[in-house]
Amino acid sequence: MFTTDSRFHMRIFYLLMAVFATSWCAFSQHSLSGKVLTNTGVPLDGAHIHIENGHALSLPDGTYTLTGIATGSHRVVISYVGYKSLDTIVDFHKNEVLNANLNPDITQLNEVVLTEKLLNKDIAPIQKLSVQTLEKYSSGSLGDALKELPGVSALKTGTTIVKPVINGLHSSRVPVISNNVRLEDQQWGTEHAPNLDVNAAGKVSVIKGASALQYGGDAVGGLVVVEPLRVQQDTLFGKTVLTADSNGRGGTISSSLHKGAAQGWAWNAQGTFKYYGDRETPDYILSNTGNREANFSGDFGYIGESYKLTGFYSFYNATIGIATTTHIGNVTDLVRAINSGQPVVTNPFTHSINNPRQEVQHHLAKLNFEKDFEDGSALNVQYAFQQNLRKEYDLRRGSFADIPALDLTLVTHSVNADWKQETDANTFKAGVSGAAQHNDASPDTGVRPLIPTYHKYDAGAYAIASHSFGNSLTAEVGARYDFSHMDADKFYQKTRWTALGYDGVYDHFITQDFGTQWLTNPKFTFHNVSASAGVRKDFGESLSLLGNVGLAVRNPNPGELFSDGLHHSNATIELGNLGLKKEQALKASVTVQANANSFRAEVTPYINSIRDFMYLRPTGVEYTTRGAFPVYSYRQNDALLAGADLHTEWDVTSYLKHSLNAAYVHGTNTDTDEALIDMPPLTFSNTFRYTNAGWHGFFAEVRSEAVLHQTRYPNYDFYADVPINGELVPTLVNISRPPKGYHLVHLSAGRQFSIGKTQASVNVSVYNLFNTNYRDYLNRQRLYADEAGRNVQIQLKFNY
Amino acid sequence: MKRFKVSVLTLLTVGMLASCSDDDTAIAPVNEEEVITTVTASFSPVGGGSVVTLTSRDLDGDGPQAPVVTVSGNFAANTVYNGAITFTNEMVNPAEDITAEIFAEGDHHQIFYQQNGLGTFSYTDEDEDGNPIGLTVAYTTAAIPANGTLTLTLVHHPEKTAAGVAEGNIANAGGSTDAQVSFPVIVQ
């Protein structure tokens, strides 16, 4: 059974990789173009088209173009894993068209990718970012790139710290899976962006909801699955992307080399450097907002006849400046920042990064063994090691300036074994996983750590079965069990312990008396069961219906349990809660995929009912020598999120395409009947793209991004005494109201060219063309400063 | 196949055991070395007389307890007082006097004296650039009896050259607040 899913993701392209053209030769040159389809007419995304020493990949709509072909007869091979190759001779005297219909080859499943099906017969709506989109964000981050998908927005801190928000949920509710390893990078923190290099990703998928039980049962919001580029042919190819940006006055260089093999040794290596200075709004410089990255990833493996052994290592190393203006001392400073409407102090542009800043490093090393058995089953066994080092430097006095205010080392060992068996109508997946984690909160900071030292152990097992009832109906059910045990060493000020109401309730956690502080040893054990069920019904080629229900269970994270102290970036005291229970989300969604020749649409309405939703809510104001601070405490209520994501594509002509993304989510605290905080407002993104493959792959694109005003928000404004004209005046601190909506226009154009045998392309883009002043509700910088203004970007890509 | 599965299980077990090694070291509480718990401002009348001492003390730092504010007495009207302010961290033992450090980094600190109708404050010290710090101050009390609130604010990284900042106006100072304490003051 084949589906039309990929057609709905036409805007998501795969790059025309490595077109080794026989250019500049004396003969006249021709092009070969066409469409690669299955025998049932479904486009094949990523099929290889070889012509002697050149090759190309087909786009999601199956189209491909090869240029620079000399006059004469040439052998053309079109291949796709799992399909019989087309091998033919074409006589070139003019530009030729070759359309291919490939037949499935059941015996030739030479590589089983556990995380992905060969065809888009996914039961859950999975949205993917292509290499092309990822390259566009070479100088940005994963979170920036994911915003291109409907229903995915970005929770930002400044310009460079970007976290994906799926259908209104983020952080611990949206696990990120990097190369089949669950990323453990202090992801509980809203100011902690995923520690991975977007340039290392070959494919990024978003699964909205709990449908991917093999990765965990706690994806209350959804999952982001990042996979590196895989090469299956016996080829060696390289790629370099150079990006220069006017805003930030810096650049990015990312290079990779890939040695693929059908059998034998294969390896990949990839590195990225980024260097940026202060970002600029239309009116002023955002002081101290530069960033640096120096990343590496690579693997080395042996592919046998029925097995594959791979060692992988990646290193992410970033220094990120935090806008000076967002570092404030107390509520008085906050009120001043809100009222002044712009930073009080802006310094001249600089590339240097001072405090406050984040220095984060993430090591990921893994060993992976895949084995295919003759009965059609496959086993994947993996061990992964992760070390996450996070140092946050603050504006501190004297000798403390060079000592981080937060210094965490998180080490995670994880193992998993996944087994999969596919027969004609059935797919069965099962697996076990285990993880041991240790967080070390350095006491040398001179600041009581936000997150304590702790140990955590996890174990899980899952099984997922799917069955095809004929050609048009497929159903899937899955279940998962997770065990988790956490054991922390946490110091509490005795006054805080008492104020939190822990006296007499959690006395059994106290292990030692340190005068003004208690040393406690809180222990928590959780047993969770999560489940998913889905069904897909295809009505011919033009309509598909997908229905999914998932139950996700998430345990309170260390931040929610133990947070205890002052947050300088927003002048709040955040308090964890030892009494938190696990959060349970039941999400149901229906996806309608419609396809009418030149128009395609996918709409997914959903409802996510969350029991014991954990969130921060203001619970008072505290006074210290530093001044007044609002206190936010973790609370639990039932929540209901309902919304819809829409994506449409329309081929206006064969050259001009329009695409639309729209998303809305309505989040409510059903216990208090308040709106949920930080819900993305209604968003529309319209793109017109003109492409003319015949003219050196030329494209020009205009994109309009409209973010409406969020009118539903909880009112967390509070009063605090602020000195005004020498008197302390109770003043309303206006922190809740979301900023106005905004509309941005982005332009982009590019074409391909050849330098000898190297296929190259140049793209010129202008982001925020009209240099619009705006603030975004989901940016924690919004109370202090505008978003970055216009950015002119020039990007050069080389495939060799 | 069976042997294979056994070896997988073995690998898993070894992996888990290897990762369970305990690396606990002795656990010590963090000394909050940077916190300012106590702000003391002493005002001595130039012509002699009783010293007025204003103290704000918050022994649990960022903890839930509010600072305890004490004022030793009332100011005399129409009198010039020499004021000196000290900052102390009493969460460490022995208590640490932070005043000298603030003076040494005088170009990155300034203390502001905010009040209304209590008289005038003028800076009597300066940093290496000739800008006031505010660790010492001359306070000329109001000519007639008055009462109100005196708020002392220690600003880290103020914009010292901005308009009015050298005269003690906090409005354009920017920076971030390291300490902000308020005292009920009576001039009689």
Coordinates of all heavy atoms in Angstrom, one line a residue, chain A residues 125-172:
Chain A
P125 N 0.8 11.4 11.7 CA 1.3 12.4 10.8 C 2.7 12.8 11.2 O 2.9 13.4 12.3 CB 0.3 13.5 10.9 CG -0.4 13.3 12.2 CD -0.3 11.9 12.5
I126 N 3.7 12.5 10.4 CA 5.1 12.9 10.7 C 5.5 13.9 9.7 O 5.3 13.8 8.5 CB 6.0 11.6 10.6 CG1 5.6 10.6 11.7 CG2 7.5 12.0 10.8 CD1 6.4 9.3 11.6
Q127 N 6.0 15.0 10.2 CA 6.5 16.1 9.3 C 8.0 16.2 9.3 O 8.6 16.0 10.3 CB 5.9 17.4 9.8 CG 4.4 17.5 9.3 CD 3.6 18.4 10.1 OE1 3.8 18.5 11.3 NE2 2.6 19.0 9.5
K128 N 8.5 16.4 8.1 CA 10.0 16.3 8.0 C 10.5 17.6 7.4 O 9.9 18.2 6.6 CB 10.3 15.1 7.1 CG 9.9 13.8 7.6 CD 10.4 12.6 6.8 CE 10.1 11.3 7.4 NZ 8.7 10.9 7.0
L129 N 11.8 17.9 7.9 CA 12.5 19.0 7.3 C 13.6 18.4 6.3 O 14.2 17.4 6.7 CB 13.2 19.7 8.4 CG 12.4 20.7 9.2 CD1 13.3 21.3 10.3 CD2 11.8 21.8 8.4
S130 N 13.7 18.9 5.2 CA 14.6 18.4 4.2 C 16.0 19.0 4.5 O 16.2 19.9 5.2 CB 14.2 18.8 2.8 OG 14.3 20.2 2.7
V131 N 17.0 18.4 3.8 CA 18.4 18.9 3.8 C 18.4 20.4 3.4 O 19.1 21.2 3.9 CB 19.3 18.0 2.9 CG1 20.6 18.7 2.8 CG2 19.4 16.6 3.5
Q132 N 17.6 20.6 2.3 CA 17.5 22.0 1.8 C 17.1 23.0 2.9 O 17.7 24.1 3.0 CB 16.6 22.1 0.6 CG 16.7 23.3 -0.2 CD 15.6 23.5 -1.1 OE1 14.4 23.3 -0.7 NE2 15.9 23.9 -2.3
T133 N 16.0 22.7 3.6 CA 15.6 23.6 4.7 C 16.6 23.7 5.7 O 16.9 24.8 6.3 CB 14.3 23.1 5.2 OG1 13.4 22.8 4.2 CG2 13.7 24.1 6.2
L134 N 17.2 22.6 6.1 CA 18.2 22.6 7.2 C 19.4 23.4 6.8 O 20.0 24.2 7.6 CB 18.7 21.1 7.5 CG 17.6 20.3 8.1 CD1 18.0 18.8 8.1 CD2 17.3 20.7 9.5
E135 N 19.8 23.3 5.5 CA 20.9 24.2 5.0 C 20.6 25.6 5.1 O 21.5 26.5 5.4 CB 21.3 23.8 3.6 CG 22.1 22.5 3.5 CD 22.4 22.1 2.1 OE1 21.9 22.7 1.2 OE2 23.2 21.1 1.9
K136 N 19.4 26.0 4.8 CA 19.0 27.4 4.9 C 19.2 27.9 6.3 O 19.5 29.1 6.5 CB 17.5 27.4 4.6 CG 16.8 28.7 4.5 CD 15.4 28.6 3.9 CE 14.4 29.5 4.4 NZ 13.1 29.2 4.1
Y137 N 19.1 27.0 7.3 CA 19.3 27.5 8.7 C 20.7 27.1 9.2 O 20.9 26.9 10.4 CB 18.2 26.9 9.6 CG 16.9 27.5 9.3 CD1 16.0 26.9 8.4 CD2 16.6 28.8 9.8 CE1 14.8 27.5 8.1 CE2 15.4 29.4 9.5 CZ 14.5 28.7 8.7 OH 13.3 29.4 8.4
S138 N 21.6 26.9 8.3 CA 23.0 26.6 8.6 C 23.6 27.5 9.7 O 24.3 27.0 10.6 CB 23.9 26.6 7.4 OG 25.2 26.3 7.7
S139 N 23.2 28.8 9.6 CA 23.8 29.7 10.6 C 22.9 29.9 11.8 O 23.2 30.5 12.8 CB 24.0 31.1 10.0 OG 22.8 31.6 9.6
G140 N 21.8 29.2 11.8 CA 20.8 29.3 12.9 C 20.9 28.1 13.8 O 21.9 27.5 14.1
S141 N 19.7 27.6 14.2 CA 19.6 26.5 15.1 C 18.5 25.5 14.7 O 17.7 25.9 13.8 CB 19.4 27.0 16.5 OG 18.1 27.6 16.6
L142 N 18.5 24.4 15.3 CA 17.4 23.4 15.1 C 16.0 24.1 15.3 O 15.1 23.9 14.5 CB 17.6 22.2 16.0 CG 16.5 21.1 15.9 CD1 16.7 20.4 14.6 CD2 16.7 20.2 17.1
G143 N 15.9 24.8 16.4 CA 14.6 25.5 16.7 C 14.2 26.4 15.6 O 13.0 26.5 15.3
D144 N 15.1 27.1 15.0 CA 14.8 28.1 13.9 C 14.2 27.3 12.7 O 13.2 27.6 12.1 CB 16.0 28.8 13.4 CG 16.5 29.8 14.5 OD1 15.7 30.5 15.1 OD2 17.7 29.9 14.7
A145 N 14.9 26.2 12.4 CA 14.5 25.4 11.2 C 13.2 24.7 11.4 O 12.3 24.7 10.5 CB 15.6 24.3 10.9
L146 N 12.9 24.3 12.6 CA 11.6 23.6 12.9 C 10.4 24.5 12.8 O 9.3 24.0 12.6 CB 11.7 22.9 14.3 CG 12.5 21.7 14.4 CD1 12.8 21.3 15.8 CD2 11.9 20.5 13.6
K147 N 10.7 25.8 12.9 CA 9.5 26.7 12.8 C 8.9 26.7 11.4 O 7.8 27.2 11.2 CB 10.1 28.1 13.1 CG 9.7 28.7 14.5 CD 10.2 30.1 14.6 CE 9.2 31.1 14.1 NZ 9.7 32.5 14.2
E148 N 9.6 26.1 10.5 CA 9.1 26.0 9.1 C 7.9 25.0 9.0 O 7.2 24.9 8.0 CB 10.2 25.5 8.1 CG 11.2 26.6 7.9 CD 11.2 27.2 6.5 OE1 10.7 26.5 5.6 OE2 11.7 28.3 6.4
L149 N 7.7 24.2 10.1 CA 6.7 23.2 10.1 C 5.4 23.8 10.7 O 5.5 24.5 11.7 CB 7.1 21.9 10.8 CG 8.3 21.2 10.2 CD1 8.7 20.0 11.1 CD2 8.0 20.7 8.8
P150 N 4.2 23.4 10.2 CA 3.0 24.0 10.8 C 2.8 23.4 12.2 O 3.1 22.2 12.4 CB 1.9 23.5 9.9 CG 2.5 22.3 9.1 CD 4.0 22.6 9.0
G151 N 2.5 24.2 13.2 CA 2.2 23.7 14.5 C 3.5 23.7 15.4 O 3.4 23.3 16.5
V152 N 4.6 24.1 14.8 CA 5.9 24.1 15.6 C 6.3 25.6 15.7 O 6.4 26.3 14.7 CB 7.0 23.3 14.9 CG1 8.2 23.3 15.8 CG2 6.6 21.9 14.7
S153 N 6.4 26.1 16.9 CA 6.9 27.4 17.1 C 8.1 27.4 17.9 O 8.6 26.3 18.3 CB 5.8 28.3 17.7 OG 5.0 27.5 18.6
A154 N 8.6 28.6 18.3 CA 9.9 28.6 18.9 C 9.8 29.4 20.2 O 9.3 30.5 20.3 CB 11.0 29.3 18.0
L155 N 10.4 28.8 21.3 CA 10.5 29.5 22.6 C 11.9 30.0 22.6 O 12.9 29.2 22.6 CB 10.2 28.5 23.7 CG 10.4 29.1 25.1 CD1 9.2 30.0 25.4 CD2 10.5 28.0 26.2
K156 N 12.1 31.3 22.7 CA 13.4 31.9 22.5 C 13.8 32.6 23.8 O 13.0 33.1 24.6 CB 13.4 32.8 21.3 CG 12.9 32.2 20.1 CD 13.5 32.7 18.8 CE 13.5 34.1 18.5 NZ 14.0 34.4 17.1
T157 N 15.1 32.7 24.0 CA 15.8 33.6 24.9 C 16.8 34.4 24.1 O 17.8 33.8 23.7 CB 16.5 32.8 26.0 OG1 15.6 32.0 26.7 CG2 17.1 33.8 27.0
G158 N 16.4 35.6 23.7 CA 17.2 36.4 22.8 C 17.1 35.8 21.4 O 16.0 35.4 21.0
T159 N 18.2 35.9 20.7 CA 18.2 35.5 19.3 C 18.7 34.1 19.0 O 18.2 33.4 18.1 CB 19.1 36.5 18.5 OG1 18.8 37.8 18.9 CG2 18.9 36.3 17.0
T160 N 19.6 33.6 19.8 CA 20.3 32.4 19.5 C 19.8 31.2 20.3 O 20.2 30.0 19.9 CB 21.8 32.5 19.6 OG1 22.1 33.2 20.9 CG2 22.4 33.3 18.5
I161 N 19.1 31.4 21.4 CA 18.7 30.2 22.2 C 17.2 29.9 21.8 O 16.3 30.7 22.1 CB 18.8 30.5 23.7 CG1 20.3 30.8 24.1 CG2 18.2 29.4 24.5 CD1 20.5 31.2 25.5
V162 N 17.0 28.9 21.1 CA 15.7 28.6 20.4 C 15.3 27.2 20.8 O 16.0 26.2 20.4 CB 15.8 28.8 18.9 CG1 14.4 28.7 18.3 CG2 16.4 30.1 18.5
K163 N 14.2 27.0 21.4 CA 13.7 25.7 21.7 C 12.4 25.4 20.9 O 11.5 26.3 20.8 CB 13.3 25.6 23.2 CG 14.4 25.9 24.2 CD 14.1 25.3 25.5 CE 14.4 23.9 25.5 NZ 14.3 23.3 26.9
P164 N 12.3 24.2 20.4 CA 11.0 23.9 19.6 C 9.8 23.8 20.6 O 9.9 23.2 21.6 CB 11.3 22.6 19.0 CG 12.5 22.0 19.7 CD 13.2 23.1 20.4
V165 N 8.7 24.3 20.1 CA 7.4 24.2 20.8 C 6.5 23.5 19.9 O 6.2 23.9 18.8 CB 6.8 25.6 21.1 CG1 5.5 25.5 21.9 CG2 7.8 26.5 21.9
I166 N 6.0 22.3 20.3 CA 5.1 21.6 19.5 C 3.7 21.7 20.0 O 3.4 21.3 21.2 CB 5.5 20.1 19.4 CG1 6.9 20.0 18.8 CG2 4.5 19.3 18.6 CD1 7.5 18.6 18.7
N167 N 2.8 22.2 19.2 CA 1.4 22.4 19.6 C 1.3 23.0 21.0 O 0.5 22.5 21.9 CB 0.6 21.0 19.6 CG 0.5 20.5 18.1 OD1 0.4 19.3 17.9 ND2 0.4 21.4 17.2
G168 N 2.1 24.0 21.3 CA 2.0 24.7 22.5 C 2.9 24.2 23.7 O 2.9 24.8 24.7
L169 N 3.6 23.1 23.5 CA 4.4 22.5 24.6 C 5.8 22.4 24.2 O 6.2 22.3 23.0 CB 3.8 21.1 24.9 CG 2.3 21.1 25.3 CD1 1.7 19.7 25.4 CD2 2.1 21.8 26.6
H170 N 6.7 22.4 25.2 CA 8.1 22.4 25.0 C 9.0 21.8 26.1 O 8.4 21.2 27.0 CB 8.6 23.9 24.7 CG 8.2 24.8 25.9 ND1 9.0 24.9 27.0 CD2 7.2 25.6 26.2 CE1 8.5 25.7 27.9 NE2 7.4 26.1 27.4
S171 N 10.2 21.9 26.0 CA 11.2 21.5 27.0 C 11.1 20.0 27.4 O 11.1 19.2 26.5 CB 11.1 22.4 28.3 OG 11.4 23.7 27.9
S172 N 10.8 19.7 28.6 CA 10.7 18.3 29.0 C 9.6 17.5 28.3 O 9.5 16.3 28.2 CB 10.6 18.1 30.5 OG 11.7 18.5 31.1

